[in-house]
Amino acid sequence: MSGISDFDSLRRELAANGERPEGPARNARAELLLAEAERLNIPLAVIEALGHQLKVYNYSSEKDRMFVPFARLLRMWDERPEDFDEYETHSLHWVFKWMSAGMLGQPHIPLASIEKWLGEMEHRYRLAGHSERAVRSAEFSVARHIGDLPRAERAYAAWLAADRDRMADCHACELHGQGRWQAECGRDAEAVELWRPVLDGEFSCAHEPHGVLASSLLPLLRLGRLDEARAHHLRGLRLVRPMESMRSAYAAHVEFCALTGNEARALELLAERPAYFTDDGNPLSRLDFLAVTALLMDRLAELGRDGQTVPGPAGRAWTAGELAEHARADASALAARFDERNGTDRVGERARARMAQRPLLDRLPLGVRTARRTAGAAAAPAARVPVETPAAVAPEGAALPELIAEARRLSDTLRPYAVEAWAAVARAAEGVGLAARDRAEIADHEAMGRGPEGAALFERAAELYARAGDPGEALAARSRAAYTRALTGDVEGALAAVAEPYQRVRALYAEKRTGVRQTASVVMGRARILIRPVYEAEGPVDPGALSAAGEAVREVLALVEGHTGDDVRLAARAAEARAMLAEVAARAGDLRGAAELFERAAAEYAEAGVPWFAVEYEARLAALAHHLGDPEGAERALRAALEHGGAYLEAPGRAQLHLQLAEVLGGLDRAEEAAEHALEAAHWADEAGGGPALGAWARQQLGGLLLRLGRWAEAAEVLESALPDLSADTHGDGAVVQTQWWLGDCLSELGEHRAAAERRLQAAEIARHWPEQQDHATLAHLAAESLSRAGLHEEADRAYTRAGDLWRSLGDVHGLVRALRARAWLASGTEAGGLDAARELMGAAVTECEAALAAVDDDAAARQRLVAELGQTHRQFGDLLADGAAAEEALSRLEQAIASFAELGPAALHDRTGAELAAGRLAADLGHTAEATAHARAVLAAYEDDEMSPRRPEAERLLRALEKGSDD
């Protein structure tokens, strides 16, 4: 291994290896580094390399290998403790706790050995003067593991009572363990409360809140706090994914999905980590993973999917049924080994209980992309009215007369599933002689179910209605047959076909030989045909077509108004006619009139007791309201549509309405509510199973809303899930760029700067081809920032250069100046660039500002922005030069920054006083006492009326230091 010639180089390599991802590669590197340490013949070097090896083993799938380096370290301590420095002495005692936990996870280590080790730990801690807090915590873990609950309670109390010292686990880890115990004892609320400081970021460490997020999932579900559980899954999974050692936490996320109707996502998680099935360095965490795998496979079997191919241990293909048997057998065998070692049945009992769990929810929408369930169904929202279903309207074993009566009730009152009810009548009536009227209604409703292909059946129904002595209904059936021609695009043919039925029914009505209902059906059929060109026109509508459609619709209203009463059919005709007039008004340019008509039509449907018919028109009303600048009206209409659709609203329509409502609420800055509806939209889009287009839109919107709410990890998971289904052809390249942009922002906030740069560069590459280059420039600049934060300085400089060129071409001096300043700071930190290159770039930034100021016209606001930019540039120039031989030049730049900020008055007070303090400190370092004093006093004068300003104590400290220096 080249490059390790002394202790310092070894330490650098140990530190670098510690930053590598967990896994066998890092472990192998640690072993090589130990060999190099031994060649140096420095005892402390070997101690540090052994400690490093022990640490990487502990945080990997090879946890069982950490006992050997620890035994060697302990032997070295017992033989020559003086070889250990203070840090390594602390580390040796610290990892006693790892040994205790590690032994519990290895069933081949006898319980007597673990108890002996616990005593050894207590003895050595006492000798070293440490509190017994860590010892009692370790004892609690042993007692909890073997099921000695009285001892566990005693140890738990002693753990909390003992003083915290340097050997105690960090606050985050302690709270995790304490909360898990509360949850195991059935105290979920107390557990979540204990975890709150970790979840809120008050306490954290390398493996927290990762573990707490996983442990909190089921307690939150049991408490009914579903939004928090969902958020913890999305946030927590992102944290544990790259960490090989967190198999148990990963298993908790699989378990969460299996118990919330997200079986498809759980399978995806299994597929991501095939090694988890077989890695045996930590048998206890393998038991956790196998148990939840068996749980998931059993869930698939319950859904009728036991023959489905699933991810499993490498080397063969697995079905759900086969993997269930395999995982259960392996989990049971592992649990039996632990129980044999422990002399109790605690581990096996917990494993069996885990595998036998029942789902806590039928479906919890997660917002991420998932496959639609092929068996089972999501629970429908509670309906506000009694809801028929196809099974309910045609119960098995019902007599034919009962079926006919129910079907007629449904069709007469325009209830859903009338078509299905008449189909059930048809099946029951096979081989039975029915009256002509009954057969007419069977044919009529079968035709309705066929849509454009129903013409022949409508004609057959007309013949049967006529034979039954109902000429008006026969003409209505013929008008429906005519309308099918309009549905296929033959409007002229449809008008010719409806002409005779229309004339005849008007005559029959005048002669009182038919009723309003039948007449209205024919007149409405004609109106529907005449309005087809209005509906189908992509551009302006022929005025003649608008006039003809409007006249036909008004004829319907004139006929039925005053006759609706309790007749649902006639009331629905009036409401439909009102909606058709709204469409005519909208196409004629009268949007407000159209909105009023749509609103009235929806109200009439609701009053008639058939609110589900209002949904289509409330959606149109929402679109018009949005166009008219009335987002509150759009919100009311969409909420009404969701309420009126109730349980009858099909998944695609429900998804569309929730998505529209999310967009409206987002525009009203109600991001929390908007996110809830975007989540629902994503869920129902998946339930629709009609392709990824709608779901991708919903997830894109949801991700953007979560970003606005500052929920970076959740947003990243959702946006990453949306990207595979977003395409320029379907959604537009703007949507793809926006998603990549948002994702880059999330990753930047999460500290994943290299990944953020990749997303921003991908978005910039698409935007590069757009006529307007503002977005391209912004994305290039953001990508440069991410590259810089990722430590990729050469790549960052190229990206800043690209951004600067784009800003220059756009005439955006502010963007150009900021790119130049960023390049200057990059150059100052590289050997290739250095201070000279940095000074040149910062000088170019000053020149650009000054040139822009010289060219500015009478735009006072533009001038102020440029003066502020110049002030910031001078300030950064001074900071850049302050360290080194250019201190005098740096002071000059800070003086120029002060002058620029002073020109802006009170608006730049904070910037000016910050520059004053920086100049004062630098002047003091240079021995310019009078100048430094003047700057400090200028700050105090600026905040004379603001005693609470933090700048005052800074200035006072500077003055005291100057006074002390002059006394000396």
Side-chain angles (χ1 to χ4, degrees):
M1 185 180 297
S2 60
I4 298 180
S5 57
D6 53 28
F7 199 175
D8 287 340
S9 59
L10 173 69
R11 281 175 163 166
R12 286 194 296 270
E13 288 298 323
L14 290 172
N17 195 47
E19 295 299 317
R20 291 187 172 91
E22 294 177 356
R26 186 170 73 158
N27 295 354
R29 176 75 170 165
E31 292 161 9
L32 292 173
L33 290 172
L34 175 59
E36 291 293 323
E38 289 168 337
R39 291 192 186 95
L40 294 177
N41 199 28
I42 300 173
L44 184 57
V46 175
I47 290 167
E48 291 188 12
L50 282 168
H52 173 71
Q53 189 181 69
L54 193 157
K55 180 178 180 180
V56 299
Y57 283 155
N58 185 58
Y59 294 120
S60 78
S61 61
E62 297 178 309
K63 200 178 184 79
D64 56 332
R65 301 181 65 183
M66 67 180 180
F67 303 109
V68 172
F70 181 74
R72 185 176 172 188
L73 275 171
L74 195 58
R75 186 171 62 252
M76 292 175 73
W77 168 262
D78 288 338
E79 292 172 355
R80 290 180 57 84
E82 64 272 18
D83 288 341
F84 289 70
D85 63 13
E86 182 181 359
Y87 178 81
E88 291 304 326
T89 299
H90 174 271
S91 296
L92 176 68
H93 286 80
W94 180 269
V95 296
F96 263 91
K97 299 178 297 182
W98 295 0
M99 295 303 106
S100 176
M103 287 179 178
L104 279 178
Q106 305 293 331
H108 68 278
I109 298 179
L111 185 61
S113 297
I114 297 173
E115 294 285 7
K116 180 180 177 182
W117 187 258
L118 190 60
E120 180 76 8
M121 176 182 176
E122 183 173 9
H123 173 68
R124 288 181 181 263
Y125 272 40
R126 188 179 299 114
L127 287 177
H130 297 309
S131 164
E132 67 172 13
R133 188 178 182 94
V135 177
R136 298 284 78 83
S137 173
E139 181 188 7
F140 164 75
S141 296
V142 173
R144 170 182 167 269
H145 174 73
I146 65 177
D148 186 345
L149 302 187
R151 182 186 179 192
E153 289 285 7
R154 291 194 302 272
Y156 183 83
W159 168 20
L160 269 59
D163 292 336
R164 281 190 57 83
D165 68 350
R166 294 176 64 214
M167 282 299 118
D169 281 339
C170 75
H171 282 288
C173 289
E174 282 207 332
L175 289 173
H176 183 194
Q178 293 162 18
R180 284 184 64 193
W181 177 242
Q182 297 301 322
E184 285 179 23
C185 294
R187 298 186 285 266
D188 289 332
E190 291 87 341
V192 175
E193 188 58 31
L194 273 170
W195 289 327
R196 183 59 51 201
V198 183
L199 296 170
D200 290 346
E202 182 179 347
F203 301 125
S204 64
C205 67
H207 289 76
E208 296 296 349
H210 316 42
V212 165
L213 287 164
S215 295
S216 71
L217 295 173
L218 298 195
L220 287 170
L221 288 177
R222 291 192 291 262
L223 291 169
R225 294 160 65 169
L226 306 185
D227 290 340
E228 290 176 77
R230 175 194 302 111
H232 288 194
H233 168 63
L234 295 177
R235 179 183 164 200
L237 183 63
R238 189 169 195 87
L239 291 173
V240 302
R241 261 196 180 117
M243 304 185 77
E244 183 189 59
S245 64
M246 300 203 74
R247 176 163 53 183
S248 290
Y250 194 89
H253 287 278
V254 176
E255 178 181 36
F256 167 82
C257 293
L259 297 176
T260 57
N262 289 286
E263 297 87 3
R265 179 162 173 84
L267 289 173
E268 291 171 2
L269 298 187
L270 291 189
E272 287 182 21
R273 302 307 296 257
Y276 274 174
F277 287 103
T278 53
D279 285 345
D280 58 3
N282 186 355
L284 196 56
S285 73
R286 182 165 178 257
L287 172 57
D288 289 335
F289 190 76
L290 290 169
V292 300
T293 298
L295 168 69
L296 173 61
M297 296 306 117
D298 286 347
R299 183 65 186 139
L300 293 176
E302 289 178 18
L303 295 171
R305 294 158 58 183
D306 54 324
Q308 176 179 339
T309 300
V310 295
R316 56 159 291 186
W318 295 90
T319 65
E322 291 167 343
L323 186 56
E325 184 178 348
H326 171 82
R328 181 174 290 99
D330 276 13
S332 299
L334 262 178
R337 290 177 60 201
F338 280 106
D339 285 344
E340 182 180 6
R341 187 271 305 272
N342 298 337
T344 69
D345 62 356
R346 173 71 169 174
V347 174
E349 185 180 86
R350 288 177 58 79
R352 287 187 291 275
R354 194 170 196 179
M355 291 187 282
Q357 289 178 99
R358 303 300 306 148
L360 296 171
L361 292 169
D362 186 77
R363 185 69 174 272
L364 177 65
L366 300 177
V368 292
R369 182 174 179 252
T370 186
R372 183 171 181 261
R373 285 161 56 169
T374 56
R384 296 176 61 88
V385 295
V387 178
E388 297 93 357
T389 64
V393 300
E396 187 176 349
L400 183 57
E402 295 173 12
L403 292 175
I404 293 173
E406 178 64 6
R408 192 161 286 145
R409 181 189 71 82
L410 293 173
S411 56
D412 284 347
T413 55
L414 299 180
R415 312 299 292 182
Y417 305 120
V419 169
E420 288 82 357
W422 281 107
V425 171
R427 290 191 298 272
E430 289 181 8
V432 178
L434 289 178
R437 177 74 190 200
D438 297 335
R439 287 185 285 135
E441 290 184 81
I442 290 173
D444 204 0
H445 285 85
E446 184 181 351
M448 293 176 193
R450 292 192 181 185
E453 287 77 40
L457 275 169
F458 279 130
E459 294 290 356
R460 172 62 178 158
E463 294 174 7
L464 290 166
Y465 281 127
R467 194 180 302 171
D470 191 343
E473 202 61 58
L475 293 171
R478 287 184 60 192
S479 73
R480 288 190 280 275
Y483 180 58
T484 61
R485 300 182 68 171
L487 292 177
T488 62
D490 184 10
V491 174
E492 292 300 322
L495 280 173
V498 82
E500 182 193 354
Y502 171 72
Q503 294 297 333
R504 287 186 59 194
V505 83
R506 295 296 298 186
L508 285 173
Y509 182 66
E511 297 167 4
K512 297 185 179 180
R513 292 170 56 198
T514 194
V516 177
R517 181 188 285 188
Q518 291 81 3
T519 307
S521 183
V522 177
V523 176
M524 177 58 83
R526 178 172 177 270
R528 287 173 177 166
I529 293 169
L530 284 167
I531 206 169
R532 288 303 297 177
V534 177
Y535 287 149
E536 294 174 352
E538 295 182 0
V541 183
D542 177 65
L546 281 174
S547 176
E551 182 180 343
V553 173
R554 282 187 284 272
E555 184 180 357
V556 176
L557 283 171
L559 177 65
V560 302
E561 287 187 328
H563 296 280
T564 54
D566 294 331
D567 192 320
V568 175
R569 283 180 178 248
L570 290 180
R573 293 277 185 243
E576 183 182 358
R578 205 89 59 196
M580 292 163 78
L581 282 180
E583 194 64 49
V584 170
R587 291 306 189 105
D590 181 10
L591 301 186
R592 294 196 181 277
E596 291 173 4
L597 285 165
F598 277 128
E599 187 170 13
R600 186 174 173 187
E604 289 176 353
Y605 275 125
E607 290 167 7
V610 286
W612 45 88
F613 286 117
V615 172
E616 175 185 353
Y617 306 117
E618 284 161 336
R620 287 283 287 121
L621 172 60
L624 283 174
H626 185 72
H627 185 78
L628 291 167
D630 179 17
E632 290 82 5
E635 179 191 353
R636 285 194 302 272
L638 290 166
R639 290 191 186 279
L642 283 165
E643 179 182 4
H644 288 153
Y648 296 123
L649 194 57
E650 294 185 354
R654 191 180 297 277
Q656 288 280 7
L657 291 172
H658 279 296
L659 184 55
Q660 287 177 260
L661 187 51
E663 291 171 353
V664 169
L665 292 169
L668 291 169
D669 290 327
R670 289 155 61 187
E672 193 79 47
E673 287 181 86
E676 292 173 6
H677 286 283
L679 175 66
E680 287 294 316
H683 165 66
W684 288 108
D686 290 338
E687 286 295 304
L694 182 58
W697 269 124
R699 275 180 270 282
Q700 196 247 15
Q701 290 297 305
L702 175 59
L705 290 162
L706 292 170
L707 172 65
R708 283 170 59 180
L709 292 166
R711 292 156 62 176
W712 321 116
E714 297 170 65
E717 283 289 306
V718 171
L719 292 168
E720 286 174 344
S721 176
L723 270 173
D725 293 329
L726 286 170
S727 70
D729 291 340
T730 302
H731 304 92
D733 55 8
V736 178
V737 167
Q738 182 65 81
T739 306
Q740 297 275 26
W741 192 329
W742 282 338
L743 182 52
D745 291 348
C746 291
L747 296 171
S748 178
E749 292 289 345
L750 292 168
E752 300 176 34
H753 298 301
R754 185 185 292 265
E758 291 174 3
R759 295 301 185 181
R760 288 166 166 175
L761 288 170
Q762 289 167 3
E765 183 58 26
I766 298 173
R768 182 171 67 88
H769 304 286
W770 293 354
E772 170 55 57
Q773 289 290 284
Q774 180 74 27
D775 286 340
H776 182 200
T778 303
L779 284 162
H781 201 118
L782 289 171
E785 288 180 5
S786 294
L787 290 165
S788 177
R789 291 178 183 177
L792 302 171
H793 295 157
E794 291 184 13
E795 295 88 339
D797 184 71
R798 288 196 294 270
Y800 274 125
T801 301
R802 174 186 178 188
D805 291 342
L806 288 165
W807 291 128
R808 188 185 297 279
S809 70
L810 290 167
D812 189 327
V813 68
H814 298 280
L816 172 59
V817 166
R818 289 168 189 171
L820 287 167
R821 291 199 307 244
R823 290 183 63 204
W825 282 108
L826 284 172
S828 70
T830 63
E831 293 182 6
L835 188 60
D836 289 342
R839 181 188 280 109
E840 183 179 347
L841 286 163
M842 202 66 85
V846 170
T847 300
E848 293 291 346
C849 285
E850 292 174 340
L853 270 170
V856 77
D857 52 19
D858 295 331
D859 187 338
R863 178 176 180 79
Q864 281 194 317
R865 288 195 300 273
L866 285 168
V867 170
E869 200 73 74
L870 179 59
Q872 291 291 349
T873 305
H874 280 307
R875 170 64 198 270
Q876 291 194 35
F877 208 161
D879 292 342
L880 182 77
L881 298 172
D883 294 331
E888 291 286 357
E889 184 184 350
L891 184 58
S892 173
R893 291 293 179 182
L894 290 172
E895 298 283 2
Q896 293 176 73
I898 294 166
S900 294
F901 293 137
E903 184 180 334
L904 297 173
L909 176 62
H910 192 72
D911 289 325
R912 178 175 71 80
T913 55
E916 293 268 17
L917 284 168
R921 286 189 288 265
L922 185 56
D925 291 341
L926 291 168
H928 304 335
T929 304
E931 189 176 347
T933 301
H935 284 303
R937 287 177 176 166
V939 173
L940 291 174
Y943 295 106
E944 185 175 5
D945 298 326
D946 184 2
E947 294 288 338
M948 301 304 293
S949 171
R951 289 281 161 83
R952 287 184 60 87
E954 292 183 60
E956 289 166 352
R957 283 194 295 273
L958 177 58
L959 280 175
R960 285 196 297 270
L962 290 167
E963 290 167 1
K964 182 180 179 182
S966 63
D967 292 343
D968 294 342

